[in-house]
Amino acid sequence: MRRLLLTLLVALGLPAAAQDSDRPAVLVADDLFITRDRELVAQGNVEAFQGTTRIRASAIRYNDQTGALVIEGPIVLNDGDGTVILADAAELDQGLQNGLLRGARMVLNQQVQMAAVQIDRVEGRYSQLYKTAVTSCKTCNDGELPLWQIRARRVVHDTVAQQLYFDDATFHIRSVPVFYLPRLRLPDPTLERANGFLAPSVRTTSLLGTGLKLPYFITLGESRDLTLTPYLSSSTRTLEFRYRQAFTNGEIQFDGAYTRDDQQPGDTRGYLFGEGRFDLERDYQLSFTIEAVSDSSYFTEYGYADDDRLRSDLTLSRARRDSFVRTSLYNFETLRPGELNSTLPTVVIDGEFERRFFPKAWGGELRFGLEAHSHWRSSDVDIIGRDVSRINGSLKYLRRFTHRSGLVTDTQIGTTFNFFDITQDSSFAQNHSDVAPFGAVGFSYPMARREAGGASQVLTPVVQLGWTDGGRLDIPNEESTRVEFDQGNILSLSRFPRPDRRERGTTAAVAVNWSRFDPNGWDTYVAVGQVFRSVIDPEFTDTSGLSGARSDVLLAGQIRNNAGLSLTARTLVDADFDISKAELRGGWNFGKTTVAGTYVWLEADPDEARTEAISEVSLDGSYDINQQWSASADVRYDVQNSTAATAGLGLTYNNECVSVDLSVRRRYTSSTSVEPSTDIGFNVGLRGFSASNGTERYERSCGK
């Protein structure tokens, strides 16, 4: 029996691992006997097993002397690795490496099926399929043709190379032939990576015309690959590329494009984005980012990115439970109209170190921090070419006390020391230093309540008194020009984002947090807070919400439920009930529809380089028309100027064998270097082959 099964495995071309397995073989049949001609016959519900391999047939006849092997169908062969062969009958020659299967169908990885008049097995490696139809669409016995199929005179499946070779191939949509190729090679679904073309796409823009993108994937070993994508239209000749490489301790990726077009005749245009990460010894991590582009209008014309400022960096860092260290080198480049790279800090060196100690004798936590920073402008002009370097350190002790009454007391005390070096600015002295001790004590009293229905409420009033000694150094405000007042910094002793500025004097922060959690429905969170200070800080702008001896009232909240609705809001309200900043974000998933939106309001503030108010709405949504079709739309609208900024529409079709995506996008904004444009994209992908597989798809059912 074992020899019979091994003969079947070899003849039908199963993997060598199955052929050479030492696991016992099992043959099950209603009847098993040997004829006078020494022919072994198994008939009636025949099943043969070895490992993960399974063969089912009506009857198997094997002659031990001649080696003739005849299998009567219907035959179902499953190798356990995703390949299934169905046949009406099979005959194998004496060599046991070659065979013939009639009325056969081969299914690869439950994705691609190949129906043929016959299948020839050659040398246990190749399957030759004649008069073949290949598709990844679900086929039914109702006579309806699949959505697409490739018909070929002959298809050769190489199980070792995991490739499909087509002779005289014709691509059909339903019954209509679309194009003919005398030779075609495609990877089979079991191959993860292979050289070859990926799904093409068509892109039409009002600036570049109609063009075709045809990507070609190139494997460069097990850990590297390169994708080259020619993009040709009436106005551009572009070569896009992507290079990826994996290492034992990290990975890198580079994306870019090289362009010659009619937008800037005679100029070479393009961009390069790169990133990488490496795990080093002693828990260190090295990472880098590269962002470069030839000109400020390239991204908006070609749609590769939405960045208006580029950042390249090299960072070495290590994070442990009690310590953190980081050093970084940055290079910035602006693409914004009206900004000059020569007068902006383009080269920045930044580093920080923090260490925590937990003294058993005192309790609490002792924390030491050190930060170094330097930025450089390429301009040598006095004042506008100013360069600044600084070192800031802090030492503080923190401890929390929880009293029996439920009152929680948080205390901290410490000092900061700061050193600044300012060059190329005659309006400021070069060297500055100070030491600023500080302390704070905070009280919170969380109160919880459980409702009869299972919901719970938590109300927490919070009060903090803080003090920072000393006066502010006479140095320019280089890094703290934008201040955000929110729930995250209401209890901070300094709400400036960087240590070149620090609040001074005595402050008091008052806040109330309330939350309600309902396991059966709505969850709600509300926060209200305000800050009072003894010293008015002129560095806070009017719209920061922190100017004056009393800050604006911070209102923030969130609502969400199990039905998919979520709403988050934050605003600042002054004593006259005027609003300087407001933000509203929301989303709702209901049935087949998903909707999300954002509204932002910022009052005009020349101190923040905002000459007019900003009022903007962004909306996006999608609707699943059915299990195959879905539509999407998005819009960004400038309420202040009553004009749309961008708008887009999308239509997608997905099933088990094809994906179709159509998108239309309009950009209305314009500048001196970029005109408004419309972008139309069309992409078709055939599923089932390794180069175009999708992770999410809808599989149709027969009769639907």
Side-chain angles (χ1 to χ4, degrees):
M1 296 182 198
R2 175 174 175 79
R3 184 176 179 182
L4 169 61
L5 183 60
L6 291 178
T7 298
L8 292 173
L9 298 179
V10 173
L12 295 176
L14 295 183
Q19 298 178 29
D20 299 335
S21 174
D22 292 330
R23 287 174 289 187
V26 178
L27 180 64
V28 180
D30 293 342
D31 296 307
L32 184 64
F33 57 90
I34 299 177
T35 66
R36 294 179 179 179
D37 298 330
R38 298 188 58 81
E39 185 178 59
L40 176 64
V41 179
Q43 64 183 18
N45 298 315
V46 180
E47 292 192 52
F49 304 89
Q50 185 183 41
T52 60
T53 302
R54 179 177 180 177
I55 303 173
R56 289 184 294 168
S58 297
I60 297 177
R61 299 176 180 274
Y62 176 67
N63 191 305
D64 189 33
Q65 293 182 341
T66 64
L69 179 65
V70 177
I71 306 175
E72 298 178 7
I75 302 169
V76 179
L77 186 151
N78 192 328
D79 67 0
D81 292 329
T83 300
V84 178
I85 296 178
L86 310 174
D88 296 331
E91 298 178 4
L92 305 174
D93 67 5
Q94 188 173 5
L96 304 180
Q97 292 291 314
N98 304 287
L100 172 66
L101 295 93
R102 295 189 179 91
R105 175 177 295 180
M106 179 181 292
V107 182
L108 303 177
N109 204 31
Q110 298 182 351
Q111 297 181 57
V112 174
Q113 53 184 312
M114 300 181 288
V117 174
Q118 70 178 47
I119 299 178
D120 289 349
R121 293 294 303 159
V122 181
E123 299 177 359
R125 169 177 174 176
Y126 303 99
S127 294
Q128 295 187 121
L129 297 88
Y130 295 92
K131 296 183 179 180
T132 309
V134 180
T135 184
S136 60
C137 298
K138 189 176 184 66
T139 57
C140 304
N141 294 324
D142 55 4
E144 183 178 356
L145 294 173
L147 182 61
W148 68 265
Q149 60 179 317
I150 301 175
R151 297 180 183 177
R153 178 178 55 83
R154 186 182 70 158
V155 177
V156 177
H157 179 217
D158 188 338
T159 58
V160 176
Q162 297 171 285
Q163 297 286 325
L164 295 170
Y165 302 91
F166 296 76
D167 292 340
D168 297 328
T170 306
F171 183 81
H172 290 248
I173 297 179
R174 294 297 186 185
S175 61
V176 180
V178 178
F179 59 83
Y180 165 81
L181 290 173
R183 296 289 185 272
L184 176 65
R185 178 181 61 84
L186 292 173
D188 78 14
T190 63
L191 182 61
E192 295 182 357
R193 301 165 66 248
N195 295 341
F197 289 101
L198 305 180
S201 61
V202 177
R203 182 172 185 255
T204 299
T205 74
S206 56
L207 296 177
L208 303 175
T210 300
L212 175 67
K213 292 186 177 183
L214 186 60
Y216 188 83
F217 183 81
I218 305 171
T219 59
L220 303 173
E222 296 183 355
S223 60
R224 296 180 296 165
D225 59 58
L226 174 66
T227 304
L228 299 176
T229 306
Y231 171 31
L232 302 176
S233 76
S234 58
S235 298
T236 184
R237 293 159 300 284
T238 297
L239 179 63
E240 303 172 5
F241 63 87
R242 183 191 67 182
Y243 176 80
R244 301 183 301 178
Q245 183 169 358
F247 302 88
T248 56
N249 63 333
E251 58 187 3
I252 61 173
Q253 178 173 325
F254 292 92
D255 297 85
Y258 175 85
T259 296
R260 304 281 286 187
D261 60 20
D262 296 341
Q263 299 300 308
Q264 297 185 17
D267 294 340
T268 298
R269 311 178 71 192
Y271 84 100
L272 176 65
F273 278 8
E275 60 181 3
R277 177 195 56 81
F278 298 92
D279 296 323
L280 307 181
E281 296 180 355
R282 301 176 60 187
D283 299 327
Y284 280 99
Q285 187 175 90
L286 178 67
S287 63
F288 71 87
T289 301
I290 297 174
E291 296 182 353
V293 68
S294 59
D295 55 85
S296 59
S297 61
Y298 187 77
F299 283 153
T300 53
E301 292 176 4
Y302 283 83
Y304 293 124
D306 296 324
D307 306 54
D308 58 1
R309 280 182 177 169
L310 305 182
R311 189 188 78 173
S312 301
D313 67 79
L314 179 65
T315 299
L316 179 67
S317 63
R318 183 181 70 180
R320 290 179 171 175
R321 178 180 179 273
D322 298 330
S323 65
F324 175 74
V325 60
R326 177 189 61 84
T327 180
S328 301
L329 173 64
Y330 301 93
N331 182 79
F332 294 92
E333 179 182 359
T334 182
L335 306 178
R336 297 179 180 180
E339 290 187 347
L340 299 176
N341 285 296
S342 61
T343 60
L344 294 176
T346 53
V347 178
V348 177
I349 300 176
D350 211 19
E352 60 181 312
F353 170 79
E354 189 170 47
R355 181 69 186 271
R356 301 192 305 167
F357 304 91
F358 300 92
K360 295 182 179 180
W362 311 334
E365 177 185 340
L366 185 65
R367 187 177 299 179
F368 172 74
L370 189 65
E371 182 175 338
H373 172 90
S374 179
H375 59 256
W376 174 82
R377 293 175 171 88
S378 60
S379 174
D380 294 328
V381 180
D382 186 35
I383 300 179
I384 64 174
R386 178 174 53 236
D387 304 323
V388 177
S389 300
R390 60 174 173 82
I391 296 177
N392 307 93
S394 66
L395 180 66
K396 59 183 175 181
Y397 173 73
L398 306 95
R399 188 167 184 180
R400 167 171 287 190
F401 301 91
T402 302
H403 307 280
R404 292 184 177 180
S405 62
L407 180 69
V408 178
T409 304
D410 289 289
T411 61
Q412 62 174 304
I413 186 171
T415 185
T416 64
F417 48 92
N418 311 280
F419 303 93
F420 294 86
D421 182 81
I422 303 171
T423 58
Q424 286 193 179
D425 191 339
S426 59
S427 60
F428 292 95
Q430 179 172 352
N431 297 315
H432 304 261
S433 63
D434 74 343
V435 176
F438 62 86
V441 57
F443 304 94
S444 60
Y445 193 74
M447 295 173 283
R449 172 188 172 189
R450 184 170 294 276
E451 301 176 6
S456 61
Q457 299 183 44
V458 178
L459 178 66
T460 307
V462 180
V463 176
Q464 178 181 275
L465 300 176
W467 165 81
T468 302
D469 192 23
R472 174 163 298 136
L473 296 174
D474 183 22
I475 58 176
N477 186 356
E478 288 277 88
E479 304 173 65
S480 298
T481 58
R482 304 290 188 275
V483 178
E484 288 294 328
F485 180 33
D486 55 28
Q487 307 96 294
N489 61 14
I490 191 171
L491 298 181
S492 299
L493 287 179
S494 179
R495 293 158 191 87
F496 288 105
R498 303 292 285 171
D500 62 336
R501 286 290 183 275
R502 176 173 288 276
E503 295 183 50
R504 307 287 177 162
T506 303
T507 61
V510 180
V512 177
N513 299 318
W514 174 80
S515 58
R516 182 181 184 274
F517 303 97
D518 188 345
N520 301 317
W522 295 86
D523 292 342
T524 310
Y525 166 79
V526 176
V528 182
Q530 192 170 19
V531 176
F532 304 86
R533 58 172 54 85
S534 62
V535 179
I536 297 176
D537 197 323
E539 293 295 329
F540 286 125
T541 63
D542 292 338
T543 59
S544 68
L546 294 166
S547 60
R550 181 177 59 183
S551 75
D552 294 349
V553 177
L554 170 66
L555 298 174
Q558 184 182 65
I559 299 175
R560 61 183 181 182
N561 66 6
N562 295 336
L565 175 65
S566 64
L567 189 65
T568 303
R570 179 171 63 96
T571 187
L572 299 175
V573 182
D574 63 15
D576 298 326
F577 296 98
D578 292 330
I579 296 176
S580 59
K581 292 182 179 180
E583 181 181 20
L584 178 65
R585 298 177 182 269
W588 192 13
N589 300 327
F590 56 100
K592 299 180 179 181
T593 305
T594 300
V595 179
T598 302
Y599 174 73
V600 176
W601 160 260
L602 295 176
E603 196 176 57
D605 191 343
D607 292 332
E608 293 189 359
R610 193 166 53 251
T611 57
E612 61 179 25
I614 294 177
S615 179
E616 188 173 277
V617 175
S618 297
L619 296 172
D620 63 85
S622 62
Y623 176 70
D624 295 330
I625 302 171
N626 53 37
Q627 291 180 303
Q628 296 168 296
W629 289 94
S630 64
S632 62
D634 65 88
V635 63
R636 186 162 60 90
Y637 187 79
D638 186 346
V639 180
Q640 181 68 19
N641 297 313
S642 301
T643 58
T646 61
L649 294 173
L651 186 64
T652 302
Y653 176 86
N654 272 299
N655 63 19
E656 80 285 352
C657 65
V658 68
S659 63
V660 181
D661 181 73
L662 174 65
S663 63
V664 181
R665 175 160 295 278
R666 173 69 176 173
R667 181 178 51 80
Y668 296 90
T669 57
S670 62
S671 65
T672 56
S673 59
V674 179
E675 293 295 328
S677 63
T678 301
D679 190 336
I680 301 175
F682 181 69
N683 183 67
V684 178
L686 301 182
R687 298 186 185 274
F689 301 102
S690 64
S692 60
N693 282 342
T695 57
E696 296 182 1
R697 61 180 185 267
Y698 162 68
E699 183 173 337
R700 298 167 296 153
S701 300
C702 293
K704 294 184 179 180

